[in-house]
Amino acid sequence: MIKELIKTIHLYHNNGWSPATSTNYSFIDENNKIWITRSGIDKSSVLETDFIQIDENGSYPKEDLKIKPSAETQIHCVIYKLFPKTKVILHSHGIYPNLLSSKMKSNFIFKGNEIQKGFFNVSTHLDTLKIPLLENSQDMLFFDKELNSRKSELKYNCFVIRNHGTYAWGATILDAKKHLETLDYLCQYEWNLISK
Amino acid sequence: MIKELIKTIHLYHNNGWSPATSTNYSFIDENNKIWITRSGIDKSSVLETDFIQIDENGSYPKEDLKIKPSAETQIHCVIYKLFPKTKVILHSHGIYPNLLSSKMKSNFIFKGNEIQKGFFNVSTHLDTLKIPLLENSQDMLFFDKELNSRKSELKYNCFVIRNHGTYAWGATILDAKKHLETLDYLCQYEWNLISK
Amino acid sequence: MIKELIKTIHLYHNNGWSPATSTNYSFIDENNKIWITRSGIDKSSVLETDFIQIDENGSYPKEDLKIKPSAETQIHCVIYKLFPKTKVILHSHGIYPNLLSSKMKSNFIFKGNEIQKGFFNVSTHLDTLKIPLLENSQDMLFFDKELNSRKSELKYNCFVIRNHGTYAWGATILDAKKHLETLDYLCQYEWNLISK
Amino acid sequence: MIKELIKTIHLYHNNGWSPATSTNYSFIDENNKIWITRSGIDKSSVLETDFIQIDENGSYPKEDLKIKPSAETQIHCVIYKLFPKTKVILHSHGIYPNLLSSKMKSNFIFKGNEIQKGFFNVSTHLDTLKIPLLENSQDMLFFDKELNSRKSELKYNCFVIRNHGTYAWGATILDAKKHLETLDYLCQYEWNLISK
């Protein structure tokens, strides 16, 4: 799975979705171990050795102080706990969700686009979808609380953090990609409609 | 032809024209058999084995329930019946036709751009072109009826589905590509002019 | 030179500058022969054999009726006659010059951007540049007359055709590229400023 | 380091950040020698031999008059003197900083985006950042004076030149990239918000 995930990370980097050293990615392997990208790496050239193994609370061996998991590791751990079928979590700094987040209150509302069928259990463009928009915070406990209290709103396997980025997950890489790309496309669509 | 079509699918995926698992593609081989991309595949890595053979009504062997043709197979079958010279059909979720479709009634009108000569039988930028815009539907019979009743409007070998995407076709891959790319460019042009 | 030109054509195709089978390219070889891309080819996969040799008036052997030079061959011939140091001519359908052309009268005026030093004999961003904007036509004699009568305005080695595209040339591929890319960038800049 | 820098230059060229022969790049090698891209080269195909060695004042052997360092060499030399830990300097002509520069006075102000943590010593999106915006000039002594007098404003390891481009630097290529990409993303974000 790691090779496919690295291919995805490179593809998304080419989209401009991971400027500087932003974004982070994780997966659960066949032995039920969580692997996450370490902090501070350039996503244009991520390697298998850039993934480090953490436990379900995000703990990791601290012998080498230079290598540590992404600062947002807690967000990944909360998602894995809330949705036990999840095997892959993707994060993006795509510009459209960020731009759109500056205009919205606590949710993104989408309706009428064929692409929304990219979400699990959505079979028509006529459905109205509500995707949670969380405030940004440097306190990972804030996200823990928010995600737990808004669990029922997370049924589309994704959410947005204001002026930060998007998270999406799935039981396979393909599922996680579908959710992330569907969300990004809907944001691009809605952003471009504003003031037109 | 399949290798050239796969190359095209990858090229279009890099354009952002097939987010999530959207879009579908078909061709008719030298034995007059129709091949179409199966449902639910990632267009960043489509393979020859992702094409499955269907009959002219879209039927296919159902032994393996996991593999099925694209949900929009009926649209392809209607196009092949209406325009018997067609050998290739392309579909795109490019953002510009979708955005423009939100502002138009039942047609896209184009005039004055050199690129419109990319359509068959258009030899000057001075022609006024009318491209059909269909409402979106999850009912494939709706498209069957619409395409049959609007056959005379389909002379540019393409149409748009509102907030969904574009279809284009031709007797060769090159012809189908010309029609799809010409339509997308014209939509990009017109969308950008709005409110400027 | 042909290999370097083909590399440039692919690079520009990836920019979206040659949708459908639009654009055409020519060069003069070491024996003073003009070679131009033949009509109707896909610029995503142009080959050395897609270039055909023409004389200085654009004539070419007509034995094979399927192969003919680009419809805009006369424009290339006029440029080579007017500016004898020219060895390479590039054409682009980039969206920004086309969009900007819809707002301008008979010239593009640029001033104040560092990038304008990409033009020959421009050594400061403070210069005011006037690039000719020609009306579009399917009559190649029209361009012959226009280019001859506006020769003095062509000192920046490029011009724009309204809702069609740009032409740029130089004594080397690098010079021609500099002129084309500088013009495109300036158009992108000016277009984005409108209504902001 | 030179191979990694060349990879970065190609990546940035694909972003459209170095049209024509614009931009320049330098680094300090393990023997404390400064190497800078020579003037007038196409960044789509920069080679190791396109870097030339200069002294700390920008002097270089003038035997071969065709080869000279970038016209903006003095800017690099001033940065290396002002910030002695600097080992790499990157320059970009990305369109967003240029567009945004046309609307701003003498600084870019950013606040509220997660990505701003890409700058050294910024640990929260709540910080307000002030990035210097310099007027453009063809007189390199002007930049020498400006950068010296505004040294305290350069704490984010980057600045913008009006209608010209951005400079960013760091003790490693990764640091320099982080600063350049963070600045570009913030400019893209702010530019898109205008008139929305």
Side-chain angles (χ1 to χ4, degrees):
Chain A
M1 188 185 290
I2 195 168
K3 286 187 203 307
E4 210 186 332
L5 182 51
I6 286 173
K7 190 187 155 192
T8 297
I9 294 170
H10 289 159
L11 214 60
Y12 288 176
H13 189 77
N14 287 340
N15 289 352
W17 290 3
S18 46
T21 59
S22 69
T23 76
N24 38 74
Y25 306 87
S26 72
F27 68 96
I28 295 184
D29 70 15
E30 62 275 19
N31 299 315
N32 224 25
K33 303 291 186 190
I34 305 175
W35 294 82
I36 191 163
T37 43
R38 64 186 180 88
S39 185
I41 52 167
D42 183 341
K43 302 311 182 297
S44 73
S45 56
V46 65
L47 303 169
E48 292 194 25
T49 49
D50 290 324
F51 283 83
I52 59 178
Q53 192 196 308
I54 54 170
D55 72 17
E56 63 176 13
N57 300 309
S59 294
Y60 56 97
K62 290 193 173 123
E63 288 129 42
D64 184 349
L65 287 170
K66 283 191 203 151
I67 295 180
K68 54 181 182 176
S70 164
E72 291 166 31
T73 295
Q74 286 306 316
I75 295 177
H76 291 248
C77 291
V78 176
I79 294 168
Y80 285 123
K81 277 178 195 162
L82 285 174
F83 305 100
K85 289 180 186 167
T86 304
K87 296 290 183 195
V88 181
I89 300 174
L90 307 173
H91 177 34
S92 165
H93 277 234
I95 196 82
Y96 294 108
N98 279 7
L99 287 165
L100 193 59
S101 78
S102 71
K103 301 290 190 187
M104 299 292 144
K105 287 196 171 169
S106 59
N107 293 286
F108 283 10
I109 310 291
F110 300 116
K111 188 186 174 183
N113 251 288
E114 178 71 12
I115 197 75
Q116 66 189 43
K117 288 164 62 188
F119 288 130
F120 195 61
N121 273 339
V122 177
S123 59
T124 167
H125 60 288
L126 299 173
D127 285 1
T128 299
L129 314 185
K130 211 167 89 174
I131 309 287
L133 170 59
L134 280 61
E135 296 306 314
N136 196 18
S137 175
Q138 301 307 323
D139 174 10
M140 293 302 117
L141 284 177
F142 168 81
F143 291 114
D144 190 345
K145 284 180 203 162
E146 279 287 295
L147 293 170
N148 271 282
S149 72
R150 299 180 73 171
K151 184 183 174 184
S152 65
E153 299 178 47
L154 295 168
K155 61 181 168 176
Y156 300 115
N157 303 293
C158 63
F159 62 88
V160 185
I161 305 175
R162 191 187 303 283
N163 291 339
H164 178 151
T166 56
Y167 273 90
W169 57 90
T172 63
I173 288 191
L174 182 55
D175 280 352
K177 286 181 74 176
K178 277 175 66 174
H179 304 146
L180 191 71
E181 295 177 19
T182 298
L183 176 56
D184 188 85
Y185 187 94
L186 287 166
C187 291
Q188 182 179 5
Y189 180 86
E190 294 298 337
W191 174 257
N192 276 287
L193 275 180
I194 293 175
S195 310
K196 282 276 193 179
Chain B
M1 188 186 290
I2 195 167
K3 285 187 203 305
E4 209 187 335
L5 181 52
I6 286 173
K7 190 188 155 192
T8 297
I9 295 171
H10 289 160
L11 213 60
Y12 287 177
H13 189 77
N14 287 341
N15 289 351
W17 289 5
S18 47
T21 58
S22 69
T23 75
N24 38 75
Y25 305 87
S26 73
F27 68 97
I28 296 184
D29 71 13
E30 62 275 20
N31 299 314
N32 223 26
K33 304 291 187 191
I34 305 175
W35 296 82
I36 191 164
T37 43
R38 65 186 180 87
S39 185
I41 52 166
D42 184 340
K43 301 311 182 295
S44 73
S45 55
V46 65
L47 304 169
E48 291 194 26
T49 49
D50 290 323
F51 284 83
I52 59 179
Q53 192 197 307
I54 55 170
D55 72 15
E56 63 176 13
N57 300 309
S59 293
Y60 56 97
K62 288 192 173 128
E63 288 130 41
D64 183 349
L65 288 170
K66 281 191 205 150
I67 296 179
K68 53 181 183 176
S70 165
E72 291 166 31
T73 294
Q74 286 306 317
I75 295 177
H76 291 248
C77 291
V78 176
I79 294 168
Y80 285 123
K81 278 179 194 160
L82 286 173
F83 305 100
K85 288 180 187 165
T86 304
K87 296 291 182 194
V88 181
I89 301 175
L90 308 173
H91 177 34
S92 166
H93 277 235
I95 198 82
Y96 293 109
N98 279 7
L99 287 166
L100 193 59
S101 79
S102 71
K103 302 288 189 188
M104 300 291 144
K105 287 196 171 170
S106 59
N107 292 287
F108 284 9
I109 310 291
F110 300 116
K111 188 186 174 185
N113 252 287
E114 177 71 12
I115 197 76
Q116 66 188 45
K117 289 165 61 187
F119 288 130
F120 195 62
N121 274 340
V122 178
S123 59
T124 166
H125 61 288
L126 298 173
D127 284 1
T128 299
L129 313 186
K130 210 167 89 173
I131 310 288
L133 169 60
L134 280 63
E135 296 306 313
N136 196 17
S137 175
Q138 301 307 322
D139 175 10
M140 293 301 117
L141 284 176
F142 169 81
F143 291 113
D144 189 346
K145 282 180 205 162
E146 279 286 296
L147 293 171
N148 271 281
S149 72
R150 299 180 73 170
K151 184 182 173 183
S152 66
E153 300 177 46
L154 295 167
K155 62 181 167 176
Y156 301 115
N157 303 294
C158 63
F159 62 88
V160 185
I161 306 175
R162 191 188 303 282
N163 292 339
H164 178 152
T166 56
Y167 273 91
W169 56 90
T172 63
I173 289 191
L174 181 55
D175 280 352
K177 286 181 74 175
K178 276 174 66 173
H179 304 146
L180 190 71
E181 296 176 19
T182 298
L183 176 55
D184 188 86
Y185 187 95
L186 287 166
C187 291
Q188 183 178 4
Y189 179 87
E190 293 297 338
W191 174 257
N192 276 287
L193 274 180
I194 294 175
S195 309
K196 281 279 193 179
Chain C
M1 189 186 290
I2 194 167
K3 286 187 203 306
E4 208 187 336
L5 181 52
I6 287 173
K7 190 187 155 193
T8 297
I9 295 171
H10 289 159
L11 213 62
Y12 287 176
H13 190 77
N14 287 341
N15 289 352
W17 289 5
S18 48
T21 59
S22 68
T23 74
N24 39 75
Y25 306 86
S26 73
F27 68 97
I28 295 185
D29 70 14
E30 62 276 21
N31 300 314
N32 223 24
K33 303 291 186 190
I34 305 175
W35 295 82
I36 192 164
T37 45
R38 65 186 181 85
S39 186
I41 52 166
D42 184 340
K43 301 311 182 295
S44 73
S45 55
V46 64
L47 303 169
E48 292 194 24
T49 49
D50 290 323
F51 284 82
I52 59 179
Q53 192 198 309
I54 55 171
D55 72 15
E56 63 176 14
N57 301 309
S59 294
Y60 57 97
K62 287 189 175 129
E63 288 129 41
D64 184 349
L65 287 170
K66 282 191 204 150
I67 295 180
K68 54 180 182 175
S70 166
E72 292 166 30
T73 294
Q74 286 306 316
I75 295 177
H76 291 248
C77 291
V78 176
I79 294 167
Y80 285 123
K81 278 179 195 160
L82 285 174
F83 305 100
K85 288 180 187 166
T86 304
K87 296 291 183 194
V88 181
I89 301 174
L90 307 173
H91 177 34
S92 166
H93 277 234
I95 198 81
Y96 293 109
N98 279 6
L99 287 165
L100 193 60
S101 78
S102 71
K103 302 289 188 187
M104 300 292 144
K105 288 197 170 169
S106 59
N107 293 287
F108 283 11
I109 310 291
F110 299 116
K111 188 186 174 185
N113 252 288
E114 177 71 13
I115 197 76
Q116 66 189 43
K117 288 165 60 188
F119 288 130
F120 195 62
N121 274 340
V122 177
S123 59
T124 167
H125 61 288
L126 298 173
D127 284 2
T128 299
L129 314 185
K130 210 167 90 173
I131 310 287
L133 169 60
L134 279 63
E135 296 306 314
N136 195 17
S137 175
Q138 302 305 323
D139 175 9
M140 293 302 117
L141 284 177
F142 169 80
F143 290 113
D144 190 345
K145 282 180 204 161
E146 279 286 296
L147 293 171
N148 271 282
S149 72
R150 298 179 74 171
K151 184 182 173 184
S152 65
E153 300 178 45
L154 296 167
K155 61 181 167 174
Y156 300 114
N157 304 294
C158 63
F159 61 89
V160 185
I161 305 175
R162 192 188 302 284
N163 292 339
H164 179 150
T166 55
Y167 273 91
W169 56 90
T172 63
I173 289 191
L174 182 54
D175 279 351
K177 286 181 76 176
K178 276 175 66 174
H179 304 147
L180 191 70
E181 296 177 19
T182 298
L183 176 56
D184 188 86
Y185 187 95
L186 287 166
C187 291
Q188 182 178 3
Y189 180 87
E190 292 298 337
W191 173 257
N192 277 287
L193 274 182
I194 294 175
S195 308
K196 282 277 192 180
Chain D
M1 188 186 290
I2 194 167
K3 285 187 203 308
E4 209 187 335
L5 181 52
I6 286 174
K7 190 187 155 193
T8 296
I9 294 170
H10 289 159
L11 212 62
Y12 287 176
H13 190 77
N14 288 341
N15 289 352
W17 288 3
S18 47
T21 58
S22 69
T23 75
N24 39 73
Y25 306 87
S26 72
F27 68 97
I28 295 185
D29 70 14
E30 61 276 19
N31 299 314
N32 224 23
K33 302 292 186 189
I34 305 176
W35 295 82
I36 192 164
T37 44
R38 64 184 181 89
S39 185
I41 53 167
D42 184 340
K43 301 311 181 297
S44 72
S45 56
V46 64
L47 303 170
E48 291 195 25
T49 49
D50 289 324
F51 284 82
I52 59 178
Q53 192 197 308
I54 55 170
D55 72 16
E56 63 177 12
N57 300 309
S59 293
Y60 55 99
K62 287 192 173 129
E63 288 129 42
D64 183 349
L65 287 170
K66 282 192 203 150
I67 296 180
K68 54 181 181 174
S70 165
E72 291 166 31
T73 295
Q74 286 307 317
I75 295 177
H76 291 247
C77 291
V78 175
I79 295 169
Y80 286 124
K81 277 179 196 160
L82 286 174
F83 305 100
K85 289 180 186 167
T86 304
K87 296 290 183 195
V88 181
I89 300 174
L90 307 173
H91 177 34
S92 166
H93 278 234
I95 197 82
Y96 294 109
N98 279 5
L99 287 166
L100 193 59
S101 78
S102 71
K103 301 290 189 187
M104 299 293 144
K105 287 198 172 170
S106 58
N107 292 287
F108 284 10
I109 310 291
F110 299 115
K111 188 187 174 182
N113 252 288
E114 178 70 12
I115 198 75
Q116 66 189 43
K117 287 165 62 189
F119 288 129
F120 195 62
N121 273 341
V122 178
S123 59
T124 168
H125 60 289
L126 298 173
D127 285 1
T128 299
L129 314 185
K130 212 167 89 173
I131 309 287
L133 170 59
L134 280 62
E135 297 306 314
N136 195 17
S137 175
Q138 302 306 323
D139 175 9
M140 292 303 117
L141 284 179
F142 168 80
F143 291 113
D144 189 345
K145 282 180 205 161
E146 279 287 296
L147 293 171
N148 271 282
S149 72
R150 298 179 73 171
K151 183 182 174 184
S152 65
E153 299 177 46
L154 295 167
K155 61 182 168 175
Y156 300 115
N157 303 294
C158 63
F159 62 88
V160 185
I161 305 175
R162 192 187 302 283
N163 291 339
H164 178 152
T166 55
Y167 273 91
W169 56 91
T172 63
I173 289 191
L174 181 55
D175 280 351
K177 287 182 74 176
K178 277 175 66 173
H179 304 147
L180 191 71
E181 296 177 20
T182 298
L183 176 56
D184 188 86
Y185 187 95
L186 287 166
C187 290
Q188 182 178 4
Y189 180 87
E190 294 297 337
W191 173 257
N192 276 287
L193 274 181
I194 293 174
S195 310
K196 281 278 193 180

